[in-house]
Amino acid sequence: MSELFPRKQVMGFVFSLVLTAAALTVYFLDLSFMAAMTVLLATAFVQAGVQLVGFMHVGESEDRTMIYMNIFYGVAIALFTIFGTLLILVWDM
Amino acid sequence: MDYFDRFAIPHPSPAIYASMVAIGLTMIAIVIGLTYFKKWGYLWSEWLTTVDHKRIGIMYLIAALLMLFRGGVDALMMRAQTAVPDNKLLDAQHYNEVFTTHGVVMIIFMAMPFIYALMNFVVPLQIGARDVAFPRLNALSFWLFFMGAMLFNISFVIGGSPDAGWTSYFPLAGNDFSQSVGTNYYMLSIQIAGIGTLISGINFITTIFRMRAPGMKLMKMPMFTWTTLITNAIVVFAFPVLTIALLLGTMDRLFGAHIFSMTNGGMDMLWANLFWVWGHPEVYILILPAFGIYSEVISTFSRRNLYGYKSMVASIVIISFFSFLVWMHHFYTMGQGPLSNSIFSITTMAIAIPTGIKIFNWLLTMRKGKIKFTVPMLYSVGFIPIFTIGGVTGVMLGMASADYQYHNTMFLVAHFHYTIIPGVVFAMLAGLTYWWPKMFGFMLSERIGKWAFWFIAIGTNVAFFPMFFTGLDGQARRMYTYSEATGFGPLNMLSFVGAIGLAIGFALIVYNIYYSVRYASRDIGSDPWDARTLEWATQTPVQSYNFARTPQVDSIEALWDLKRNGKPVFQGEIEKIHMPNSSGMPFIMSCIFFAWGFSLIFSMWIPAIITTIAIFACMAHRSFEKDDGHYISVEEIKATEKDWEVLNDENR
Ligand code: HEM
Ligand SMILES: [Cu+2]
């Protein structure tokens, strides 16, 4: 029976609900901009990690190095784009 | 009647009314023709509902060629207008609409479907697969692209064409400065086609990762497959940015949001930024498949394996990464400080290095080879010097301080035509001629093809080289005319002559197709070029299931090893083959998308809501539909393979 019970998935689900609730507190509590953004960014990234590992099975298949490389590539491009844009439109305008 | 006023064109001319009549007559002729020859059923069951990657590829090809001519006519009109000073052929507004349409049609609706035509037809064959990973989605991709293209193409007879350039910079493209529905067409038709492209991107990455023949490791993939993989990776990273930019632009135009406006907290520069975050990777989406085609063609016709395979792979991976780091070089002059200009100058110039590596690899592949100058090879060899001029001028433009002189002059126009014409058009024509026998079972005439090549190669240089000079002398791009005193007249006339040369070249290609359909030999075997990769190891025309037995591969050039060293590729018993079913849903759903786009363009909310619901209904239908595909029986396969010489040959 215990093999049949999808423990990991249920845990992942509960954890992602907790993260969502944590992010939601930003709306109800009267936080400073910095604090609010920190909470949102942190919960967002952890949430993405939970989804990838818990539900999209990263690291369970043979081609996991390929998948990790793709994720790394995507994150790198996203960061370059965001910080490049900030540089162009805000910091260096 | 007020309701229908919105469909009137704001700026009519006799030419546009003539086009309306012509379009109407053509449509009636098509309907009558199909009915008279009783071809509706054939059209529906063999083409509109097909999920076969080869047929989808051919449909992409036809659409791309049509769009090439549409864009080409626009180009001729522009060159005719600027051929002499103070010309009155087109007025300023028409000229704006024509250059905008030309840019969008050529990049989004000609170059993109052309590369997807070849990818669709060739890649599954080259990796020994039976179809792409998601055949139904593949059909959806095609039809979304097609409907997007059609939507864009009717703009000039219904409501007016976009006129803010293919870059559609805000605030010019906003409601204040572009009041006609033209820019709505831009936003929505590119959106619809772009969704199709994004789906294709995912489809091809999955196909190449998961469906390669046994033994084909990543580093044993043919070069065209490699470039397809990397290109689609760029698509998946770049196109979402375009999707969002277009969505935000649509919000501004249809619902009065102020995202890109200059007032109420909007930020007009954000559009330029987002556009080029997509736009620069897009130019590499166009060029990388071309690099793949040249690699295949050059190694086939030099009769040598590709020089420096590993460095080729490394350089395309590096190019794909760098292509995301340079976007700002398109707007050096728009007000940033020297810090960001310097950073992006450096990244821009760095990208020329991996490109240079590839050029040397091709040259070294040809070295000591037994070169055969067939038409595909002519385009590949012609590409090298012409593209190098484009690359060198690109590095010139890449220096931010110098770009203040070149930006938005004809020098820039010359640069990008010197890269895109050899980089995309030559490559597509090379690929088309090279894979044509596999697609249609006969070869295009080499003699007419060579004439076309020379017209196109010389025409390109005559049309675009003079622009380097007029640009340096200060002729701005996108100006509908200039005065005699500027002295730009003679060189612009020369450009016009070059444009006519190009037009003759393309006309020759059409004539070549006609001529070869009528007279070319149908008895060409399955491997007329004596090529190296798996797509030539099937029957011509290719069986619906591609390969009766799954190929076993252990080198980059499986077919070559089979032919020269007798290494077996097809072994084992023939088994029944599982194939996907045809479906009308992709076509129907895309038609609904067309109606949806049209309704939004003209702010007709009720049809827009109905079609939105219908789109979701189609998706729900797909979720609940049961479709297990079908099997092709062993007897049927044996019957199909019977008259094919390979089956009898035990080695194969
Ligand atoms: C060595 C490689 C290249 C470099 C360094 C380079 C650099 C540049 C720069 C700096 C600009 C902007 C100039 C300005 O607006 O003043 C530009 C424009 C452009 N480039 Fe390139 N480029 C390169 C290769 C290519 C390739 C391979 C393509 C296409 C296949 C391409 C297509 C374009 C297009 C379409 C534009 C103009 C877009 C517009 O403003 O309408 N370039 N290039
Ligand atoms: Cu660029």
Side-chain angles (χ1 to χ4, degrees):
Chain A
M1 195 57 205
S2 67
E3 299 93 77
L4 286 178
F5 186 70
R7 256 175 76 108
K8 200 174 143 199
Q9 275 67 21
V10 174
M11 299 252 295
F13 183 58
V14 171
F15 196 45
S16 65
L17 286 181
V18 171
L19 284 169
T20 312
L24 205 62
T25 55
V26 172
Y27 178 78
F28 294 107
L29 301 179
D30 198 17
L31 298 173
S32 74
F33 180 77
M34 271 309 273
M37 279 316 267
T38 317
V39 173
L40 284 179
L41 280 175
T43 49
F45 277 98
V46 179
Q47 182 78 270
V50 171
Q51 300 295 327
L52 281 172
V53 176
F55 300 103
M56 297 166 97
H57 307 280
V58 169
E60 287 175 25
S61 57
E62 296 230 328
D63 48 1
R64 58 171 131 358
T65 34
M66 210 62 203
I67 294 178
Y68 285 129
M69 259 168 64
N70 283 342
I71 294 177
F72 177 76
Y73 186 89
V75 170
I77 287 179
L79 290 178
F80 275 116
T81 310
I82 292 169
F83 284 101
T85 303
L86 284 172
L87 175 73
I88 296 168
L89 295 181
V90 182
W91 300 330
D92 196 32
M93 203 54 174
Chain B
M1 277 316 271
D2 280 356
Y3 189 79
F4 292 100
D5 280 352
R6 64 182 90 194
F7 299 127
I9 14 174
H11 199 78
S13 78
I16 290 183
Y17 289 127
S19 316
M20 282 184 192
V21 176
I23 292 175
L25 289 179
T26 317
M27 287 192 351
I28 295 172
I30 292 176
V31 172
I32 292 179
L34 284 171
T35 316
Y36 182 78
F37 292 108
K38 300 202 173 55
K39 288 286 183 201
W40 284 107
Y42 167 78
L43 187 68
W44 176 258
S45 62
E46 300 295 312
W47 296 95
L48 301 188
T49 60
T50 185
V51 296
D52 181 340
H53 70 97
K54 302 179 283 295
R55 298 226 159 149
I56 292 176
I58 289 172
M59 291 193 291
Y60 266 119
L61 182 67
I62 295 169
L65 287 174
L66 282 177
M67 288 296 115
L68 179 68
F69 284 93
R70 164 81 213 261
V73 170
D74 289 336
L76 281 179
M77 291 200 298
M78 285 189 283
R79 284 290 103 217
Q81 161 64 22
T82 49
V84 288
D86 296 315
N87 199 0
K88 301 249 163 10
L89 186 69
L90 299 172
D91 60 25
Q93 175 61 22
H94 272 148
Y95 193 80
N96 292 350
E97 294 179 14
V98 170
F99 72 66
T100 304
T101 310
H102 169 76
V104 175
V105 164
M106 284 302 198
I107 301 244
I108 313 259
F109 301 129
M110 186 285 285
M112 292 301 286
F114 221 138
I115 64 179
Y116 274 107
L118 296 179
M119 284 180 188
N120 259 295
F121 193 91
V122 176
V123 167
L125 293 173
Q126 221 170 38
I127 63 174
R130 298 235 150 86
D131 206 321
V132 293
F134 310 113
R136 175 92 69 102
L137 277 183
N138 198 24
L140 183 64
S141 286
F142 169 73
W143 287 111
L144 283 177
F145 145 73
F146 186 79
M147 292 302 166
M150 290 304 112
L151 190 59
F152 190 83
N153 273 280
I154 58 169
S155 65
F156 81 115
V157 287
I158 307 177
S161 282
D163 57 0
W166 84 281
T167 46
S168 208
Y169 282 162
F170 284 78
L172 175 61
N175 284 334
D176 295 342
F177 300 100
S178 297
Q179 280 136 359
S180 85
V181 295
T183 304
N184 298 355
Y185 270 109
Y186 176 100
M187 297 288 161
L188 283 147
S189 59
I190 298 182
Q191 185 72 287
I192 293 173
I195 297 172
T197 307
L198 188 54
I199 297 176
S200 287
I202 296 168
N203 208 342
F204 275 92
I205 293 179
T206 320
T207 308
I208 295 175
F209 273 145
R210 315 247 24 139
M211 298 181 59
R212 294 189 311 267
M216 188 182 275
K217 303 252 168 50
L218 279 180
M219 289 309 273
K220 296 225 160 92
M221 296 195 308
M223 210 35 147
F224 184 61
T225 303
W226 254 114
T227 54
T228 301
L229 174 65
I230 300 296
T231 306
N232 283 291
I234 308 183
V235 164
V236 169
F237 285 109
F239 267 74
V241 181
L242 178 70
T243 307
I244 294 303
L246 291 171
L247 177 70
L248 298 178
T250 312
M251 291 293 162
D252 267 19
R253 289 201 51 98
L254 294 185
F255 306 115
H258 284 278
I259 295 159
F260 300 129
S261 68
M262 308 226 291
T263 51
N264 294 324
M267 195 181 205
D268 50 337
M269 275 301 293
L270 188 58
W271 168 270
N273 188 66
L274 288 174
F275 183 88
W276 288 113
V277 168
W278 162 78
H280 189 84
E282 165 67 16
V283 308
Y284 282 90
I285 292 170
L286 299 179
I287 193 83
L288 284 183
F291 287 173
I293 294 171
Y294 290 136
S295 302
E296 304 285 341
V297 167
I298 289 179
S299 107
T300 300
F301 295 111
S302 307
R303 317 194 65 66
R304 292 195 56 197
N305 58 354
L306 192 62
Y307 183 88
Y309 178 84
K310 284 195 185 128
S311 63
M312 282 291 212
V313 173
S315 59
I316 50 178
V317 174
I318 295 172
I319 288 179
S320 77
F321 193 74
F322 277 16
S323 72
F324 283 95
L325 308 183
V326 300
W327 75 94
M328 207 206 81
H329 66 214
H330 292 276
F331 48 95
Y332 283 140
T333 58
M334 295 191 199
Q336 305 70 239
L339 175 67
S340 37
N341 275 4
S342 319
I343 293 175
F344 282 91
S345 282
I346 294 168
T347 54
T348 300
M349 282 185 258
I351 213 169
I353 299 169
T355 318
I357 294 179
K358 303 188 74 81
I359 301 265
F360 284 112
N361 278 335
W362 290 313
L363 292 176
L364 288 169
T365 306
M366 284 190 270
R367 185 167 163 266
K368 290 194 181 156
K370 295 195 211 68
I371 300 182
K372 271 205 277 184
F373 282 103
T374 56
V375 172
M377 189 64 177
L378 275 180
Y379 281 113
S380 312
V381 174
F383 149 84
I384 292 177
I386 304 181
F387 183 77
T388 305
I389 299 178
V392 170
T393 52
V395 176
M396 291 168 72
L397 292 164
M399 294 182 274
S401 43
D403 188 52
Y404 276 79
Q405 169 82 4
Y406 313 132
H407 182 58
N408 276 354
T409 66
M410 295 310 272
F411 188 91
L412 166 69
V413 177
H415 154 69
F416 68 73
H417 286 92
Y418 261 89
T419 51
I420 291 187
I421 293 186
V424 182
V425 179
F426 280 25
M428 294 308 131
L429 294 176
L432 180 69
T433 324
Y434 181 61
W435 282 302
W436 185 275
K438 194 87 255 177
M439 293 180 180
F440 300 107
F442 60 92
M443 298 176 83
L444 291 174
S445 155
E446 284 279 302
R447 190 171 47 86
I448 308 176
K450 283 181 185 164
W451 276 101
F453 166 76
W454 286 110
F455 269 103
I456 290 176
I458 296 173
T460 305
N461 285 289
V462 176
F464 295 106
F465 209 79
M467 294 181 192
F468 285 125
F469 300 117
T470 58
L472 288 178
D473 283 345
Q475 188 185 3
R477 75 191 285 203
R478 295 178 176 169
M479 296 295 284
Y480 83 108
T481 193
Y482 50 88
S483 70
E484 174 123 47
T486 57
F488 301 145
L491 284 175
N492 276 281
M493 180 50 101
L494 191 58
S495 276
F496 179 52
V497 173
I500 301 218
L502 275 164
I504 297 175
F506 288 114
L508 279 174
I509 289 176
V510 176
Y511 174 68
N512 194 359
I513 293 176
Y514 164 80
Y515 177 89
S516 308
V517 167
R518 289 202 60 172
Y519 303 112
S521 158
R522 299 305 196 261
D523 183 24
I524 53 165
S526 58
D527 179 21
W529 303 111
D530 197 8
R532 299 173 164 253
T533 40
L534 278 182
E535 72 270 29
W536 303 98
T538 55
Q539 228 164 310
T540 297
V542 187
Q543 311 91 307
S544 64
Y545 47 79
N546 294 356
F547 299 94
R549 287 174 289 190
T550 313
Q552 314 270 333
V553 181
D554 69 351
S555 85
I556 303 165
E557 310 175 305
L559 181 64
W560 189 256
D561 284 352
L562 167 68
K563 288 189 293 195
R564 292 305 121 117
N565 311 326
K567 271 222 189 94
V569 169
F570 299 106
Q571 282 172 311
E573 280 303 300
I574 290 183
E575 287 165 25
K576 63 178 181 178
I577 296 175
H578 183 244
M579 294 301 288
N581 287 339
S582 299
S583 164
M585 284 312 279
F587 178 71
I588 293 170
M589 191 166 163
S590 306
C591 289
I592 301 174
F593 259 101
F594 181 93
W596 172 80
F598 190 82
S599 318
L600 283 180
I601 287 167
F602 289 96
S603 311
M604 302 185 292
W605 305 122
I606 297 190
I609 293 170
I610 295 173
T611 43
T612 309
I613 296 172
I615 289 169
F616 279 102
C618 289
M619 291 198 263
H621 173 266
R622 176 64 180 135
S623 303
F624 293 107
E625 183 188 359
K626 221 170 144 88
D627 174 15
D628 297 329
H630 63 273
Y631 280 97
I632 302 180
S633 68
V634 177
E635 295 77 60
E636 199 182 325
I637 299 168
K638 287 207 168 127
T640 319
E641 301 283 312
K642 193 169 73 237
D643 356 272
W644 198 40
E645 76 275 357
V646 170
L647 193 73
N648 309 328
D649 185 343
E650 266 310 301
N651 278 336
R652 298 202 172 189

